[in-house]
Amino acid sequence: MENINQKMFDSLQRGFMNREHPVTTNFRPQLLLNDENNQVLPTILQELKHCTEFFISVAFITESGLAMLKTALWELAEKGIQGKIITSTYLNFNKPKVFHELLKLKNVDVRLSDLEGFHAKGYYFNNSDHSTFIVGSSNLTANALKMNYEWNVKLSSLENGELVTNFVEQFERVWEHSIQLSDEWINTYESTYQAPQFSDKVMEVPSQLMTNSLSETIQIQPNSMQEVALKQIADLRSTDAKRGLVISATGTGKTYLSAFEVRAFRPKKLLFIVHREQILKKAMSDYKKIVGGTDEEFGIFSGSKKEVQAKYLFATIQSISKEEILNAFDPEEFEYIIIDEVHKAGAKSYIKTIDYFKPKFLLGMTATPERTDDINIYEIFDYNVAYEIRLQAALEEDMLCPFHYFGLTDLVIENELIDDKSTFNNLVSENRIDHVLERAEYYGFSGDSLKGLVFCASIKEANELARLFNERGYKTASLSGEDSQEKRESIIQQLEEGLLEYIFTVDIFNEGIDIPAVNQIIMLRQTKSSIIFIQQLGRGLRKHNSKEYVTIIDFIGNYANNYLIPIALSGDQSFNKEQIRKKTIDMDLIKGISSINFEEVAKQQIFESINNSKIDGKRSVKYEVTKLAERLGRQPKLIDFMLNDSIDPEVVIGCMKPSTYHNVLNYLKMETEDISTDQDLTLYFFGKELMNGKRAHELILMKALILNGEISKADFLNQLKEFGTRTDAETINSMERVLNLDFYQTQSKKIYNYPDLIEVTTDSYQLKLDVSNEYFKDSLLDIIEVGLLKTTQYDQYEMLTMNKKYSRLDFCRLKNLDKDLTSVLMGYKIVDQYCPLFVTYRKDDKLATDVHYGDEFLSPDVLKWISRTPRTMESEEILKIMNHKELGLKLPLFVKNSSAEGTDSYYLGEVEYMTGSAQNEKVKSQKNEMVSAVSMNYKLEVPVEYSIYQFLTN
């Protein structure tokens, strides 16, 4: 293995002399821009993770920027790693509160530079054998770390390098002449502090409420997302639809949207129905601002108020749904009716009210239409989804308050992590309270005063924790479904006014409660539902001028359903285990300046949960199929799952053996028709081999033949050209071999055993498959449509798409090999002009293999690889690999994290042998015998994409 001097020399060669020079480390110079592969925040976090000491020099620091590093700094403190930060009071940018936050970092010494115009921006990380520093434009702010277009140079150096020596010397010189940060200094700064006229990120009252210089209300206009929604609602109404549903994440302005719609519709009379009077008054206030009109035109129908003559009537469902009240109204009295939080519409009071009135249009609004009972909200609204925007899209559009999510490890008691079997005494023990409070205080909140919600597992736990937190000096209260509406409103008001700091609750704040000032949410219960998780997280996502972000602190115990956390945060409903694993690591999971931070132990708990879950099993598939059927008002086709961002169709069919949607529907006791065994096997073949969309040729041909019975080869080639894919003879021949089963091994032929699909003549293709059964025909076309939609994810000309996943069988098919060589490819094998390399990065110790190979990435563009045994540098196959360029032998690389991911691996492009890197090695077999192998380094043509690199190596 080359020494550190050679690694550093190669990196400098690469960075300053020849960008083609191969390197085997991450030492090469980089420009960090916050683009796809060169991001500031992940790079800093990665350096922090491995350093033995760190220095940071930045003029500007925001609470939000600091929050993004807090988990990494906490874990460094646990390891005893110390650091230093120099900052300043330049331009009064740094708020007094951020200095309080800096004092919480027990392993970080902080000083204030008194240099005039101090504006330095640099990050230094010392390691055992080298140092890395990042210098450029990025202050320690959320925008600079994650969003802004930045220019930062990352350089690495040995201890005696002149540049790094100068950096450290300059840092120490400024450090020696800087002021120690202390409570006394902060108090003095706070007493004279005047905020500047700018901020890194100012969260203001929505622009729709801004007034002009004369304090006259400007005509409030919809934002861009509301304009899209209004058009879609108008388009729905133009079809003579009588009902429509708006699905919009909490905090995205559903009430404003409905008011704009009413302003456009101009009904003679409106009824707006809510389930709580508190929401009713706020809705009426918003309508007055947008719709306009006199006070007399707006009225309330709730409790003792019965202002039935009002043009715009705002009513609680409890009041309006009473039998004698309904009968007093003409069923056509209201031209337009709006129901807020319409997912509650399954209740008898809602059904009775909806059935009674006959408006020209009925609009329902909800953030969560999915229900756990048997009520189908979509059916109530005639399956008309007028508009939908979920959490991820709302965050990307800056419609919600940013958040910093911290997935932390819950308390370990007697070597056991808290779980759903933990006793009540452990849940409310002094040690757990210490644990929770320590983290809550460390991660803090945005704003001047704490306004927090704590979600507990039971009413008993909420009551007891509220009492114990009170004893610790916090102002708290507990609320549950057992408390009256008056008490709930009183407690909420106390939190908003700063008389309380925490409300402890179970589930009553999942929905329908609007407390925009909430700036910290603590989750002390297991995640049983991704819907409830988002509902609870959403309690803090409404924008408010008292906060820049909301802190979400989730204590992750040893729970079976931990896999729901990345599903909820990402919004990925594919139920694909590999995707969920990857998104648990992906730091860019949430767009904008929000961030996701998992402690390493908590991350491992999630991985274990994913591995052990049956998320892709029959039960999950049944739930997702039923849910989509409720939304569509009919039995879904496979293509419907794709069109509605639901579960991956491959997961749907994969839960049954043999894997066909026909068998899934039979299992679910849904509508099917009888088909023959041969037809079932044909569906199995199409679903397993073609539906993945990795090659379009078979799909395009079979669609044409099923619809028309015959197609000329000339017309087929024209269709391929129009599709933008290959038309060479080798690919066409490969397609034909797949469709007549000649490509497959004997065992696969026995499994599929379908009748001949096509007949190939000199100038045409003809369909031999009997598709007279319309159900069978439609099922085939459904699979084909899914496959064709999936082809858009792949390069249909090059056939192998960078960073996409492929199996050994896929490689053989897409590279036009005559046969499926899956059984002999194994880790690598020379076939034709290829030697594909299949690497499982994290080996399973339980696997019955002779040797656990030590393949590893030395950097994003260099892989250290070890051959099979027994091999030496004189072995024939090793010599061919070392001389592959001269022999015209291509080395495509496929890598997966572990065997738990199944058969597919990421295609990372072609690699080349790094001359001189091969060495004879002795590796230990499972029998503890030393056997011979060869190690060598491969240079990747393109460095591994950052998120995939993190996933593979983490």
Side-chain angles (χ1 to χ4, degrees), residues 290-305:
I290 293 174
V291 177
T294 64
D295 288 345
E296 290 72 23
E297 290 180 293
F298 293 84
I300 286 178
F301 195 99
S302 178
S304 60
K305 286 190 174 183

Side-chain angles (χ1 to χ4, degrees), residues 1 82 122 126 141 204 423 547 552 559 716 727 797 927:
M1 181 64 74
Q82 300 293 309
N126 191 25
T141 70
E204 297 181 348
T423 65
K547 64 184 182 184
I552 313 291
Y559 302 127
F716 174 59
T727 59
Y797 193 82
K927 298 177 182 178

Side-chain angles (χ1 to χ4, degrees), residues 47-208:
E47 293 296 333
L48 283 171
K49 183 176 181 179
H50 299 293
C51 73
T52 57
E53 179 186 34
F54 62 92
F55 302 157
I56 297 175
S57 172
V58 285
F60 300 158
I61 304 178
T62 61
E63 292 175 65
S64 189
L66 185 60
M68 292 177 170
L69 304 187
K70 278 192 172 181
T71 299
L73 295 175
W74 176 279
E75 294 191 320
L76 286 177
E78 294 287 287
K79 295 188 291 186
I81 305 297
Q82 300 293 309
K84 296 177 180 178
I85 294 178
I86 299 176
T87 186
S88 74
T89 59
Y90 183 53
L91 299 179
N92 271 9
F93 182 95
N94 293 343
K95 297 178 181 178
K97 187 164 180 282
V98 80
F99 291 117
H100 288 293
E101 295 299 313
L102 286 166
L103 279 184
K104 294 179 181 179
L105 309 176
K106 302 304 181 185
N107 61 323
V108 182
D109 196 0
V110 183
R111 293 192 181 183
L112 289 305
S113 171
D114 59 0
L115 290 175
E116 184 176 350
F118 178 83
H119 206 228
K121 307 174 193 70
Y123 303 78
Y124 167 84
F125 310 93
N126 191 25
N127 294 271
S128 57
D129 58 358
H130 74 282
S131 297
T132 296
F133 55 104
I134 298 168
V135 179
S137 62
S138 289
N139 278 297
L140 189 46
T141 70
N143 280 322
L145 295 181
K146 198 165 184 275
M147 287 284 290
N148 291 347
Y149 177 70
E150 303 280 338
W151 274 18
N152 298 284
V153 176
K154 175 192 170 189
L155 299 169
S156 293
S157 171
L158 299 181
E159 182 180 4
N160 292 325
E162 181 178 20
L163 196 57
V164 72
T165 301
N166 286 343
F167 183 96
V168 173
E169 286 177 352
Q170 284 299 318
F171 184 93
E172 294 293 354
R173 184 174 293 119
V174 177
W175 182 263
E176 290 302 318
H177 293 88
S178 296
I179 303 164
Q180 183 72 44
L181 181 65
S182 65
D183 287 319
E184 293 75 19
W185 182 92
I186 297 173
N187 291 337
T188 302
Y189 180 68
E190 202 162 16
S191 66
T192 60
Y193 176 77
Q194 290 185 336
Q197 297 302 307
F198 58 87
S199 170
D200 179 56
K201 180 68 175 177
V202 179
M203 300 295 297
E204 297 181 348
V205 176
S207 59
Q208 293 164 335

Side-chain angles (χ1 to χ4, degrees), residues 448-476:
D448 296 329
S449 61
L450 172 61
K451 294 178 174 62
L453 290 180
V454 184
F455 289 98
C456 303
S458 69
I459 295 174
K460 185 179 178 182
E461 181 188 4
N463 292 338
E464 182 65 6
L465 287 176
R467 184 184 70 80
L468 293 170
F469 270 56
N470 265 315
E471 289 183 358
R472 299 290 188 95
Y474 285 87
K475 297 173 290 186
T476 72

